[in-house]
Amino acid sequence: MIRHLAAASLLLSTACLAIGPAAAADPGITDTEILIGDVEPLTGPPALLGVAASIGHKIAIAEANAAGGINGRKIKYVLEDDGYVTARTIQGVKKVIDVDKVFAMIGISGSGQSIAVMPVLEKSGIPSVIDVAPVKFLWEPPRKNVFVVGQSYEEGIIHLVNFLADKNPGKKWGLITQDDDYGITVRDGFDTVVKAKKLNVVYSGNYKKGQQDFSSDMLQLKDSGAEVFLAGGIISENIAMMKELEKLSIKPVTGIFWPGRIEPVLKLMGPAGDGIYAVDYVEPFAGEAGKAFLEKAKPLVSEAEFKGINRYTMTGYAAAKVLIAAIERCGKQPTWACTIAELEKTRNVETGVMAPISFGPGVRFSNQKLQIMQADTATLSFKPVQ
Amino acid sequence: MQYLIQLLISGLAIGAIYGLIAMGFAVIYKSTGLVNFAQGEMTMITAYIAWTISTTVSGNVFVVAVGAILAAVLLGLVIERLVMRPMLGEPVFATVMVTIGLAVILRSAINFIWDAYPHGLDIGMGRGIVHLGGIGVRTGQIAVIVTLLALLAAIWAFFRYSKVGVAMRAVAADDRTALLMGISATKVHALAWAASSVIAGIGGVFFALSYDLSPAMFQLGLKAFPATILGGLDAVLGSGLGGLLIGITENLAGGYVGSGMKEVAGFAMIIVVLMIRPFGIFGERDIERV
């Protein structure tokens, strides 16, 4: 008898543990709605990224809602601003999970903020798809409920530097990076190729986050005789660097990273930005896929939001599509456990804005395919380099 | 030699922008005894308004200049009337905290009113490059240096000879006695906020001309504050010159020591100067510190 009771208790406990948090909670779902939460920098300098990514989420949600929602339930999007302040990211994620009681999380701020908020997300067990900041810490080691759409900064830089090195053999190199996690990742990727290809680096600078005047830095670059330059700024910094180079009448072969690969940057760089190379894993707007995405987005967002579309809108859109598809596959009564299991089963999901997305058992990073693009000032666009 | 001259010219150009914003700090401090931590944000707002005028109403340089100046005056007056005047008589610490709160609100306003994208202020001038003996300089950079020097002279004359300037000095020295002499302290405060907003706004507009507008522009206030401390918190002219010194020091450090030293150099300089002259190079000895 005791043995039977013990076995029954064990079975019950195991069942509770297996379905535990999801079955017990399963918040954010009513008969008519499913809540999806997001915390992004909507104010402060990186708002350019956060706002654009949230527009991508809205497009995917509007598209799904227009098609009847997820198995009859409309998706409601709960968006919080963290102002790119880590403490506010944590506060915002807790608020969205505990107060708004969303069913799943998407997006989630920048690199440092995502890293800081990881214990909260992991402890909550809520299905989460991060698309704003693909940093290795988020998927190494893999966390049960956290999935990341994108490509790592380091891989991106390695791809770009490899391309530029192959195209410009024997040339002198210059590099400037920001003094933070982002800059360290850029530098690490650069150093990997420098070591492998024995590149001749004649200038290596480091600027403080928030620096706006690059006159002495670019003068040093000119003085060093660098012929190939990796501009490791984010957005405004790269513009300032290119304009300084224009003032100094030099034009090295220049590569920039995807955070700055947005069309308005080219307008501000003017002729100084013509021909610069960039690496990215989302399609350029100048290509067929990019144009098709804009066509799709136009009726789904406001005029102001449409103007705010940039590459981060594509990453946000793709991540939201993957999450929505996973919830949808769970049928009429989606749970956290099912959504996580379905996210894990994601195979070659087409979003139209990047290569097909896949995860797998223990694989929480989509590892998107990279491509090189080149700036064309005349059309203010980036075009793929064949 | 050309390397050094290029560093000096670039340093003077960015230093002139710091100097203008630093003068904005000093004008308010000199008249009200208050450090306005929203100075960088006020600078940024004026620059954004100038950009809006240039893109929606007119790109004519005079229209943009007059519009931006009027907007800066209005901004200064509104802030003084709605935010600062109710704080009269409150502890300095509380009033300073209000300026910090104001800074955050103005910073957020950029994204709500405008957007987070960088923008270029194009008024048909200021962006061209001229080559002086092989050294490239943007015309906007030359203009900001000239403007700073002209403003330094004008402000010196204003405080020295005009009735209003003398009244402002009187209120700064002893507002109760000034009141007994028939000077309205509130009017002087309002004027100081308006003047500070305009002077710093000019710096912001020149920055936008030479570089670009972006929501990160508020950080110019953080760069200009050391210039004010260096020149003297109560020294309007000294603050302007302090800006030039900080700009040159930053560029020389960046050019000769290393790019990482650029942002540190200005602060290192003020630490050294303040150890020798705690009231700044041109400041008066009796400064009540916050």
Side-chain angles (χ1 to χ4, degrees):
Chain A
M1 181 65 182
I2 291 170
R3 198 184 297 166
H4 285 302
L5 275 174
S9 303
L10 189 65
L11 201 66
L12 189 66
S13 308
T14 313
C16 284
L17 279 174
I19 56 171
D26 283 0
I29 292 197
T30 68
D31 290 343
T32 53
E33 278 183 352
I34 291 184
L35 261 62
I36 293 179
D38 180 12
V39 180
E40 304 268 10
L42 306 178
T43 53
L48 182 70
L49 286 56
V51 170
S54 72
I55 294 169
H57 300 149
K58 285 177 190 170
I59 293 168
I61 289 168
E63 193 182 23
N65 282 341
I70 300 178
N71 296 316
R73 290 185 179 94
K74 295 284 180 188
I75 307 166
K76 195 176 164 192
Y77 181 49
V78 181
L79 179 62
E80 284 285 321
D81 174 26
D82 68 5
Y84 208 59
V85 177
T86 305
R88 285 178 63 190
T89 314
I90 296 172
Q91 197 181 16
V93 168
K94 282 184 173 171
K95 186 249 176 193
V96 167
I97 294 174
D98 298 335
V99 180
D100 297 311
K101 296 199 180 302
V102 297
F103 179 76
M105 291 291 297
I106 198 161
I108 309 172
S109 208
S111 334
Q113 287 80 3
S114 304
I115 291 169
V117 89
M118 205 42 57
V120 179
L121 280 182
E122 225 182 333
K123 195 179 167 193
S124 73
I126 191 167
S128 309
V129 182
I130 295 179
D131 56 76
V132 179
V135 280
K136 269 185 184 165
F137 179 86
L138 305 183
W139 63 83
E140 280 183 8
R143 288 152 176 95
K144 190 174 188 314
N145 60 320
V146 180
F147 295 78
V148 183
V149 168
Q151 182 49 270
S152 76
Y153 286 155
E154 202 172 342
E155 279 305 312
I157 286 295
I158 289 171
H159 194 79
L160 176 64
V161 179
N162 264 324
F163 170 83
L164 293 176
D166 292 343
K167 207 172 166 61
N168 302 279
K171 301 280 184 187
K172 293 178 193 168
W173 280 74
L175 159 82
I176 188 162
T177 54
Q178 190 164 289
D179 67 338
D180 62 356
D181 287 356
Y182 170 78
I184 290 168
T185 314
V186 170
R187 193 167 285 272
D188 284 349
F190 180 74
D191 288 344
T192 305
V193 186
V194 168
K195 206 173 164 187
K197 299 206 163 172
K198 295 185 172 53
L199 301 181
N200 178 15
V201 181
V202 293
Y203 172 76
S204 176
N206 182 277
Y207 71 89
K208 277 213 120 26
K209 197 172 171 176
Q211 182 174 318
Q212 289 160 312
D213 171 39
F214 287 87
S215 48
S216 60
D217 311 74
M218 294 303 102
L219 193 58
Q220 275 193 315
L221 180 80
K222 180 185 179 183
D223 205 46
S224 72
E227 298 157 291
V228 186
F229 173 47
L230 184 63
I234 300 182
I235 297 169
S236 303
E237 302 89 0
N238 286 343
I239 300 170
M241 287 178 207
M242 297 312 293
K243 284 165 82 171
E244 278 299 328
L245 292 178
E246 181 188 35
K247 203 174 81 183
L248 296 170
S249 307
I250 59 165
K251 193 163 185 179
V253 174
T254 301
I256 62 165
F257 201 28
W258 60 65
R261 193 197 65 78
I262 53 174
E263 284 67 14
V265 162
L266 289 184
K267 191 177 174 189
L268 290 171
M269 283 181 179
D274 197 33
I276 60 170
Y277 291 95
V279 63
D280 209 335
Y281 55 88
V282 300
E283 295 291 337
F285 289 110
E288 287 308 312
K291 284 175 191 163
F293 177 70
L294 290 175
E295 281 299 310
K296 180 190 288 180
K298 204 161 196 175
L300 299 175
V301 291
S302 68
E303 200 177 321
E305 284 173 330
F306 189 76
K307 281 182 187 166
I309 288 176
N310 63 40
R311 68 164 299 283
Y312 283 92
T313 311
M314 286 184 165
T315 67
Y317 173 78
K321 286 282 279 185
V322 165
L323 176 65
I324 291 167
I327 302 172
E328 201 158 32
R329 290 198 297 271
C330 287
K332 287 280 180 191
Q333 294 302 326
T335 61
W336 282 7
C338 172
T339 305
I340 291 166
E342 287 300 329
L343 275 170
E344 195 173 82
K345 286 180 203 159
T346 297
R347 292 279 185 282
N348 295 323
V349 168
E350 291 283 356
T351 60
V353 294
M354 57 177 75
I357 296 170
S358 299
F359 296 117
V363 180
R364 295 294 187 262
F365 170 52
S366 72
N367 197 8
Q368 294 307 124
K369 191 182 163 201
L370 292 159
Q371 61 176 320
I372 300 291
M373 303 167 193
Q374 194 170 17
D376 177 15
T377 304
T379 55
L380 293 181
S381 61
F382 287 89
K383 290 176 178 166
V385 173
Q386 299 305 321
Chain B
M1 191 62 183
Q2 201 175 31
Y3 184 81
L4 173 66
I5 294 170
Q6 182 85 54
L7 283 176
L8 288 173
I9 291 176
S10 300
L12 276 174
I14 190 72
I17 292 168
Y18 297 158
L20 286 165
I21 302 165
M23 284 163 74
F25 275 111
V27 165
I28 288 180
Y29 186 85
K30 194 170 176 65
S31 311
T32 68
L34 181 73
V35 176
N36 173 27
F37 282 104
Q39 199 70 56
E41 284 73 9
M42 288 171 68
T43 303
M44 176 167 67
I45 293 275
T46 304
Y48 266 86
I49 291 171
W51 172 69
T52 303
I53 296 168
S54 73
T55 52
T56 56
V57 183
S58 163
N60 181 291
V61 63
F62 296 107
V63 176
V64 173
V66 171
I69 288 170
L70 290 176
V73 168
L74 193 66
L75 178 70
L77 290 176
V78 167
I79 289 173
E80 191 279 330
R81 185 68 191 88
L82 298 182
V83 184
M84 303 317 299
R85 200 178 295 181
M87 294 302 293
L88 272 178
E90 298 296 332
V92 174
F93 182 74
T95 315
V96 168
M97 286 307 293
V98 165
T99 69
I100 292 172
L102 178 68
V104 175
I105 292 168
L106 292 178
R107 211 178 296 163
S108 301
I110 294 295
N111 286 324
F112 289 122
I113 300 171
W114 291 278
D115 55 36
Y117 277 94
H119 296 284
L121 177 60
D122 187 4
I123 52 171
M125 57 173 67
R127 303 208 146 204
I129 300 168
V130 289
H131 292 275
L132 309 167
I135 293 168
V137 191
R138 291 202 186 269
T139 50
Q141 292 183 307
I142 298 169
V144 71
I145 297 169
V146 172
T147 303
L148 174 75
L149 295 176
L151 261 176
L152 284 173
I155 286 174
W156 175 81
F158 172 77
F159 279 117
R160 182 80 178 79
Y161 298 113
S162 79
K163 269 188 177 178
V164 183
V166 173
M168 286 177 86
R169 285 166 56 202
V171 170
D174 186 342
D175 55 352
R176 288 183 187 183
T177 309
L179 205 63
L180 288 171
M181 300 295 289
I183 298 169
S184 166
T186 49
K187 278 186 185 167
V188 166
H189 287 182
L191 181 66
W193 276 88
S196 163
S197 180
V198 170
I199 297 167
I202 291 171
V205 170
F206 272 114
F207 180 85
L209 266 181
S210 301
Y211 302 89
D212 289 304
L213 283 161
S214 83
M217 208 178 139
F218 73 90
Q219 296 184 48
L220 281 173
L222 303 177
K223 298 301 298 290
F225 188 61
T228 314
I229 300 291
L230 181 68
L233 202 45
D234 60 344
V236 180
L237 304 184
S239 295
L241 295 173
L244 294 177
L245 281 174
I246 294 276
I248 290 170
T249 307
E250 274 185 357
N251 257 25
L252 290 179
Y256 286 109
V257 184
S259 52
M261 282 304 293
K262 186 170 181 138
E263 301 288 294
V264 181
F267 289 93
M269 185 184 180
I270 62 165
I271 289 172
V272 173
V273 170
L274 291 184
M275 285 167 76
I276 302 161
R277 284 179 69 89
F279 38 87
I281 297 174
F282 303 98
E284 287 175 23
R285 231 166 244 281
D286 291 323
I287 295 175
E288 187 187 341
R289 301 204 181 280
V290 177

